[in-house]
Amino acid sequence: MSNRMLALMMGVVAFLILAVGIVFVLALAGGGNDNTSNTPASGDDSRPNTAGGICSGKALIVPGSQPNTVLDPIQVVDVSTSEYVVEIFGGLVTLDPNLQVVPDIAERWEITNGGRTYTFRLRDNVVFHTGNQRRVTAEDIKYSIERAADPANASPTVVAYLGNIVGLKDRFQGKASSVSGVKIIDERTIQIDLLEPSDYFIYELTYPVSFVVDRQQIESDPRNWTRNPNGTGPFRLAEFKPAERIRLVKNPRYHLGAPKLDEVIFQLGGGSLLTQYQNDEIHITPVPASLLDSIRDGSSPFAKDYRSYPGLATFYFTLNPNKPPFDDPKVRQAFALSIDRETINTVLLFDYYQVANGIVPGAMPGRAPNIQTYPYDPARAKQLLSQSKYASNMPRIILTYAGSGAAPGDLLVAIQENWQAVLGVTVELQAVDTAAFLREQRQGNFQIQSDGWSADYPDPENFLGKLFASDSPLNYTKYRNPEVDTLLQQARIETDRERRYRLYGQAEQKIIDDASIIPTFWSVEHQLVKPCVKGLPDAPMTIPKYRYVQIQEP
């Protein structure tokens, strides 16, 4: 999430790259509440029956992460929490395994008024998980959007993703008592009016902040309802034991078809995931980078279980143009030209990632194909630095990363050494806890940060408009370029999709040329999956995917 507002903080980087000891921190820019350490009232403490082996039942066991916020769709700001929320809740539309927008609670929709009005016809068989299994109506859709916009609930994402709805910003700012652009036509029809025409609004509706919640549950227990949330998704929460496990059980009345699995168990404890995989304790695990060569050449016994596909996340460094020495574009360009990304990826990271040739990931639909980033060019880097106003008076430079006091990983050290060797500049690496990192980011109180973004939905706007438009609430770096703003504004209201994509490509190149952002790598998923696991989508971003999965004994 995305979510999903997935800033994805690459403090000390690597997805379980055990051999090189790199730590990879995933988070989404934003805030939120701490989760409550409670087991849901409706959950029991039963464990899956694996007496006949991990492939004998209908329980999928996977590694999981501790949620960073409560299980409330309007508070989700991180990848960890969104993985559970997209399975428990649902919205008007959703993403299928091919990243196409498809009907969810809505059975169809119509776009009129030049792209400013979306009218949704709801299914008549969508019910909430528990209680009286009440049927979802247009009133529930309106309530959920109104609740997200209520300033008392302080959603960190509602303006960024739903701010184009007429009256939503007024409601969020306390200037109105309701969101005037959300209208109930009848029990099964809801109309949403927009301030501007939008070709990508339908994608924004796949983000959790617009998901439907149970008003009756919330109003009867406003403080504790997230301990046992009552959604409409393919699974419901049965058990949550912090630092141990989260267990989701299937929703047999799910309107898009009951899941084939009985339950999905997310193991939150520590220990070696590879060892757990070898011991048949989990069905899926990320691959340590140290194993990639032997897996790729077929000599590893794990080769038959290996799956790999490009992800939709970009890692980058953010250089604050409002802080010395990065207020000088020549310094920023020199730093960009001094990172030997190819060698780092090949030698240090075992080609675990793709070198990023842009901000928008290479696997993103609609990405401009001819974007150029700064190459590794030590001679040019030295020349630019010598021409900068800081050539003989370089201030102290601190790179901050989310690490809670942890030692920097090998990747950051390697890049630090690049800057020292090429430019003769010492960059200090400073770990800060996630809350401090995000606060520093929002306030602009940093020189350079190790940062990143994971797709909330499959459209270039999610990376460019959300992060770099000067009026975007997610533009925490305070990046501002009038030419970029003009292009992004044109793209925002363009309803011809191919033309919109071209405008984003022009904006992206200008952003890269400014060198306030230095893209480093695009994510690649490397997994081991037990042969008995069938139907698992190769999903490059967070989507509701477990309803497609089944366990088949060999």
Side-chain angles (χ1 to χ4, degrees):
M1 14 191 82
S2 316
N3 352 214
R4 2 163 282 301
M5 205 181 96
L6 289 207
L8 171 141
M9 283 171 301
M10 186 185 74
V12 240
V13 177
F15 250 160
L16 300 164
I17 302 187
L18 305 181
V20 294
I22 303 173
V23 180
F24 198 91
V25 178
L26 280 172
L28 291 178
N33 300 328
D34 293 334
N35 210 333
T36 309
S37 300
N38 286 282
T39 301
S42 68
D44 61 52
D45 195 27
S46 62
R47 301 300 301 276
N49 180 11
T50 57
I54 197 171
C55 291
S56 64
K58 293 186 177 181
L60 181 72
I61 308 173
V62 298
S65 300
Q66 187 79 12
N68 288 322
T69 69
V70 293
L71 298 177
D72 180 349
I74 70 171
Q75 299 297 343
V76 174
V77 293
D78 66 290
V79 173
S80 299
T81 312
S82 67
E83 181 170 18
Y84 310 119
V85 166
V86 300
E87 302 289 351
I88 297 169
F89 298 91
L92 289 165
V93 293
T94 188
L95 293 171
D96 71 9
N98 297 316
L99 304 186
Q100 298 298 307
V101 176
V102 294
D104 187 348
I105 293 173
E107 64 180 8
R108 63 180 183 272
W109 62 90
E110 182 183 15
I111 304 172
T112 56
N113 191 25
R116 288 184 175 87
T117 298
Y118 285 66
T119 304
F120 297 87
R121 180 67 173 171
L122 308 187
R123 301 178 192 273
D124 63 0
N125 63 337
V126 182
V127 296
F128 289 104
H129 290 157
T130 58
N132 59 7
Q133 294 193 318
R134 183 172 59 83
R135 185 165 61 90
V136 174
T137 68
E139 189 67 47
D140 296 299
I141 306 296
K142 182 172 175 62
Y143 166 77
S144 299
I145 295 176
E146 295 273 8
R147 176 178 175 271
D150 187 341
N153 293 322
S155 169
T157 59
V158 65
V159 172
Y161 294 88
L162 302 181
N164 194 22
I165 298 176
V166 171
L168 187 136
K169 290 180 182 177
D170 286 342
R171 177 69 186 108
F172 189 76
Q173 295 167 0
K175 299 177 182 178
S177 59
S178 65
V179 180
S180 58
V182 180
K183 302 171 183 176
I184 296 173
I185 305 303
D186 58 42
E187 188 178 60
R188 290 181 54 199
T189 308
I190 192 91
Q191 177 180 306
I192 300 178
D193 295 324
L194 304 182
L195 295 167
E196 299 175 333
S198 174
D199 178 52
Y200 59 86
F201 176 68
I202 199 70
Y203 287 101
E204 292 181 307
L205 289 178
T206 67
Y207 188 74
V209 72
S210 68
F211 287 180
V212 174
V213 292
D214 182 359
R215 180 176 189 170
Q216 292 181 7
Q217 181 191 34
I218 294 171
E219 292 184 347
S220 64
D221 191 7
R223 292 179 61 85
N224 301 309
W225 72 273
T226 55
R227 299 179 186 179
N228 188 29
N230 195 25
T232 64
F235 292 88
R236 67 174 178 84
L237 181 66
E239 181 183 13
F240 179 15
K241 289 195 170 183
E244 291 187 30
R245 64 183 173 270
I246 288 176
R247 188 162 60 90
L248 305 182
V249 298
K250 75 175 181 181
N251 171 13
R253 294 191 62 183
Y254 186 54
H255 49 277
L256 298 181
K260 300 175 178 68
L261 297 168
D262 286 343
E263 56 187 2
V264 183
I265 299 163
F266 299 86
Q267 301 286 24
L268 308 182
S272 167
L273 294 177
L274 185 62
T275 299
Q276 293 175 44
Y277 187 82
Q278 288 176 299
N279 293 339
D280 282 346
E281 297 172 9
I282 55 178
H283 288 95
I284 302 169
T285 184
V287 178
S290 57
L291 293 182
L292 283 181
D293 285 346
S294 62
I295 286 176
R296 287 166 175 155
D297 67 21
S299 62
S300 168
F302 295 115
K304 60 182 174 54
D305 296 351
Y306 176 63
R307 294 169 63 166
S308 177
Y309 51 91
L312 287 179
T314 302
F315 311 108
Y316 52 81
F317 291 104
T318 302
L319 283 59
N320 191 338
N322 300 309
K323 296 283 187 181
F326 301 115
D327 56 335
D328 187 334
K330 291 182 178 179
V331 175
R332 300 197 302 268
Q333 292 165 12
F335 268 64
L337 289 161
S338 301
I339 303 176
D340 189 356
R341 298 174 297 168
E342 294 284 356
T343 299
I344 289 172
N345 192 44
T346 300
V347 176
L348 182 64
L349 303 180
F350 300 90
D351 285 321
Y352 205 83
Y353 302 108
Q354 287 182 280
V355 172
N357 193 30
I359 299 167
V360 178
M364 176 67 77
R367 178 187 178 270
N370 299 316
I371 300 299
Q372 296 295 319
T373 56
Y374 285 94
Y376 179 56
D377 189 340
R380 178 62 175 155
K382 292 176 182 177
Q383 180 185 33
L384 285 168
L385 191 66
S386 69
Q387 296 171 353
S388 76
K389 64 182 179 181
Y390 296 102
S392 59
N393 187 31
M394 185 65 64
R396 180 188 183 193
I397 300 176
I398 298 175
L399 183 154
T400 53
Y401 62 94
S404 299
D410 291 359
L411 175 58
L412 287 182
V413 171
I415 293 173
Q416 176 191 44
E417 290 174 351
N418 272 177
W419 288 326
Q420 178 69 53
V422 174
L423 302 176
V425 174
T426 299
V427 176
E428 300 174 36
L429 305 179
Q430 184 177 92
V432 296
D433 64 58
T434 300
F437 182 95
L438 294 173
R439 182 173 59 252
E440 188 177 85
Q441 186 181 66
R442 285 191 289 264
Q443 295 173 352
N445 295 327
F446 66 92
Q447 287 175 295
I448 181 170
Q449 284 190 333
S450 177
D451 206 346
W453 190 259
S454 180
D456 301 317
Y457 46 85
D459 193 278
E461 188 277 337
N462 184 233
F463 281 75
L464 301 171
K466 290 288 185 285
L467 297 180
F468 300 105
S470 61
D471 61 350
S472 171
L474 302 185
N475 181 0
Y476 294 134
T477 63
K478 305 298 186 291
Y479 174 85
R480 182 182 296 272
N481 179 324
E483 292 182 359
V484 170
D485 274 342
T486 296
L487 289 167
L488 293 178
Q489 173 61 27
Q490 291 173 357
R492 188 160 69 189
I493 61 175
E494 179 57 62
T495 56
D496 181 310
R497 186 161 296 178
E498 293 304 317
R499 173 168 166 72
R500 184 167 66 85
Y501 288 161
R502 289 194 295 271
L503 289 167
Y504 284 132
Q506 295 174 45
E508 181 177 9
Q509 189 62 65
K510 289 182 180 295
I511 295 166
I512 289 172
D513 291 346
D514 281 344
S516 290
I517 299 293
I518 305 175
T520 52
F521 303 105
W522 290 330
S523 65
V524 179
E525 302 295 329
H526 302 276
Q527 295 180 329
L528 299 179
V529 181
K530 295 291 182 183
C532 61
V533 176
K534 307 297 183 182
L536 179 68
D538 289 342
M541 56 173 287
T542 303
I543 64 168
K545 63 186 178 184
Y546 292 110
R547 71 183 180 93
Y548 301 101
V549 178
Q550 58 183 318
I551 306 295
Q552 292 182 352
E553 292 191 59

